[in-house]
mmCIF file of all heavy atoms in Angstrom:
data_model
loop_
_atom_site.group_PDB
_atom_site.id
_atom_site.type_symbol
_atom_site.label_atom_id
_atom_site.label_comp_id
_atom_site.label_asym_id
_atom_site.label_seq_id
_atom_site.Cartn_x
_atom_site.Cartn_y
_atom_site.Cartn_z
ATOM 1 N N THR I 114 -3.343 -0.608 1.570
ATOM 2 C CA THR I 114 -4.263 -1.744 1.425
ATOM 3 C C THR I 114 -3.512 -2.992 1.777
ATOM 4 O O THR I 114 -2.553 -3.363 1.090
ATOM 5 C CB THR I 114 -4.793 -1.814 -0.045
ATOM 6 O OG1 THR I 114 -5.377 -0.556 -0.366
ATOM 7 C CG2 THR I 114 -5.788 -2.931 -0.193
ATOM 8 N N VAL I 115 -3.922 -3.626 2.850
ATOM 9 C CA VAL I 115 -3.252 -4.863 3.312
ATOM 10 C C VAL I 115 -3.931 -6.053 2.665
ATOM 11 O O VAL I 115 -5.167 -6.199 2.681
ATOM 12 C CB VAL I 115 -3.310 -4.954 4.859
ATOM 13 C CG1 VAL I 115 -2.615 -6.249 5.319
ATOM 14 C CG2 VAL I 115 -2.680 -3.725 5.501
ATOM 15 N N THR I 128 -7.619 14.508 -2.781
ATOM 16 C CA THR I 128 -8.936 14.842 -3.272
ATOM 17 C C THR I 128 -8.903 16.281 -3.779
ATOM 18 O O THR I 128 -8.549 17.190 -3.037
ATOM 19 C CB THR I 128 -9.993 14.685 -2.155
ATOM 20 O OG1 THR I 128 -9.929 13.352 -1.648
ATOM 21 C CG2 THR I 128 -11.379 14.984 -2.687
ATOM 22 N N PRO I 140 4.743 5.719 -4.881
ATOM 23 C CA PRO I 140 6.188 5.643 -4.946
ATOM 24 C C PRO I 140 6.618 4.378 -5.731
ATOM 25 O O PRO I 140 5.794 3.484 -5.961
ATOM 26 C CB PRO I 140 6.611 5.544 -3.475
ATOM 27 C CG PRO I 140 5.446 4.875 -2.811
ATOM 28 C CD PRO I 140 4.207 5.319 -3.575
ATOM 29 N N PRO I 158 11.406 6.773 -8.105
ATOM 30 C CA PRO I 158 10.566 7.854 -8.634
ATOM 31 C C PRO I 158 9.062 7.610 -8.329
ATOM 32 O O PRO I 158 8.682 6.526 -7.931
ATOM 33 C CB PRO I 158 10.845 7.803 -10.141
ATOM 34 C CG PRO I 158 11.290 6.396 -10.402
ATOM 35 C CD PRO I 158 11.964 5.925 -9.182
ATOM 36 N N THR I 190 9.899 13.588 -7.423
ATOM 37 C CA THR I 190 9.302 13.783 -6.097
ATOM 38 C C THR I 190 7.777 13.616 -6.183
ATOM 39 O O THR I 190 7.211 13.738 -7.264
ATOM 40 C CB THR I 190 9.608 15.232 -5.582
ATOM 41 O OG1 THR I 190 8.890 16.158 -6.366
ATOM 42 C CG2 THR I 190 11.089 15.519 -5.578
ATOM 43 N N LEU I 233 -27.367 38.707 -3.783
ATOM 44 C CA LEU I 233 -26.153 37.944 -3.856
ATOM 45 C C LEU I 233 -25.609 37.760 -5.272
ATOM 46 O O LEU I 233 -24.483 37.360 -5.467
ATOM 47 C CB LEU I 233 -26.349 36.528 -3.263
ATOM 48 C CG LEU I 233 -26.719 36.491 -1.785
ATOM 49 C CD1 LEU I 233 -27.058 35.064 -1.367
ATOM 50 C CD2 LEU I 233 -25.591 37.039 -0.945
ATOM 51 N N ARG I 239 -21.292 36.228 -16.644
ATOM 52 C CA ARG I 239 -20.404 36.484 -17.773
ATOM 53 C C ARG I 239 -19.044 35.877 -17.463
ATOM 54 O O ARG I 239 -18.215 36.481 -16.776
ATOM 55 C CB ARG I 239 -20.236 37.975 -17.970
ATOM 56 C CG ARG I 239 -21.532 38.652 -18.436
ATOM 57 C CD ARG I 239 -21.324 40.100 -18.829
ATOM 58 N NE ARG I 239 -20.645 40.878 -17.798
ATOM 59 C CZ ARG I 239 -19.525 41.599 -18.020
ATOM 60 N NH1 ARG I 239 -18.952 41.641 -19.198
ATOM 61 N NH2 ARG I 239 -18.964 42.276 -17.031
ATOM 62 N N ARG I 247 -11.118 35.546 -13.724
ATOM 63 C CA ARG I 247 -11.435 36.655 -12.813
ATOM 64 C C ARG I 247 -10.490 36.694 -11.640
ATOM 65 O O ARG I 247 -10.073 37.771 -11.207
ATOM 66 C CB ARG I 247 -12.903 36.523 -12.373
ATOM 67 C CG ARG I 247 -13.362 37.630 -11.473
ATOM 68 C CD ARG I 247 -13.333 38.972 -12.186
ATOM 69 N NE ARG I 247 -13.744 40.010 -11.267
ATOM 70 C CZ ARG I 247 -13.338 41.269 -11.349
ATOM 71 N NH1 ARG I 247 -12.547 41.672 -12.304
ATOM 72 N NH2 ARG I 247 -13.742 42.162 -10.473
ATOM 73 N N TRP I 249 -7.399 35.860 -11.651
ATOM 74 C CA TRP I 249 -6.151 36.399 -12.184
ATOM 75 C C TRP I 249 -6.294 37.928 -12.307
ATOM 76 O O TRP I 249 -5.356 38.680 -11.953
ATOM 77 C CB TRP I 249 -5.897 35.743 -13.545
ATOM 78 C CG TRP I 249 -4.723 36.331 -14.282
ATOM 79 C CD1 TRP I 249 -3.407 36.020 -14.055
ATOM 80 C CD2 TRP I 249 -4.765 37.255 -15.344
ATOM 81 N NE1 TRP I 249 -2.638 36.741 -14.964
ATOM 82 C CE2 TRP I 249 -3.433 37.503 -15.746
ATOM 83 C CE3 TRP I 249 -5.795 37.920 -16.014
ATOM 84 C CZ2 TRP I 249 -3.117 38.361 -16.777
ATOM 85 C CZ3 TRP I 249 -5.482 38.796 -17.037
ATOM 86 C CH2 TRP I 249 -4.156 39.028 -17.406
ATOM 87 N N ILE I 251 -8.261 39.971 -10.618
ATOM 88 C CA ILE I 251 -8.318 40.583 -9.291
ATOM 89 C C ILE I 251 -6.920 40.689 -8.691
ATOM 90 O O ILE I 251 -6.536 41.717 -8.113
ATOM 91 C CB ILE I 251 -9.274 39.792 -8.349
ATOM 92 C CG1 ILE I 251 -10.722 39.980 -8.821
ATOM 93 C CG2 ILE I 251 -9.093 40.194 -6.892
ATOM 94 C CD1 ILE I 251 -11.697 39.036 -8.158
ATOM 95 N N TRP I 259 -1.726 46.376 -15.050
ATOM 96 C CA TRP I 259 -2.737 46.546 -16.125
ATOM 97 C C TRP I 259 -3.415 45.210 -16.375
ATOM 98 O O TRP I 259 -2.775 44.171 -16.404
ATOM 99 C CB TRP I 259 -2.074 47.058 -17.377
ATOM 100 C CG TRP I 259 -2.962 47.154 -18.564
ATOM 101 C CD1 TRP I 259 -3.911 48.101 -18.793
ATOM 102 C CD2 TRP I 259 -3.001 46.280 -19.666
ATOM 103 N NE1 TRP I 259 -4.578 47.873 -19.958
ATOM 104 C CE2 TRP I 259 -3.980 46.741 -20.545
ATOM 105 C CE3 TRP I 259 -2.275 45.149 -20.048
ATOM 106 C CZ2 TRP I 259 -4.291 46.138 -21.735
ATOM 107 C CZ3 TRP I 259 -2.579 44.533 -21.250
ATOM 108 C CH2 TRP I 259 -3.589 45.035 -22.070
#
Side-chain angles (χ1 to χ4, degrees):
T114 304
V115 180
T128 303
T190 67
L233 297 174
R239 294 188 308 126
R247 182 63 182 151
W249 176 80
I251 290 169
W259 176 75

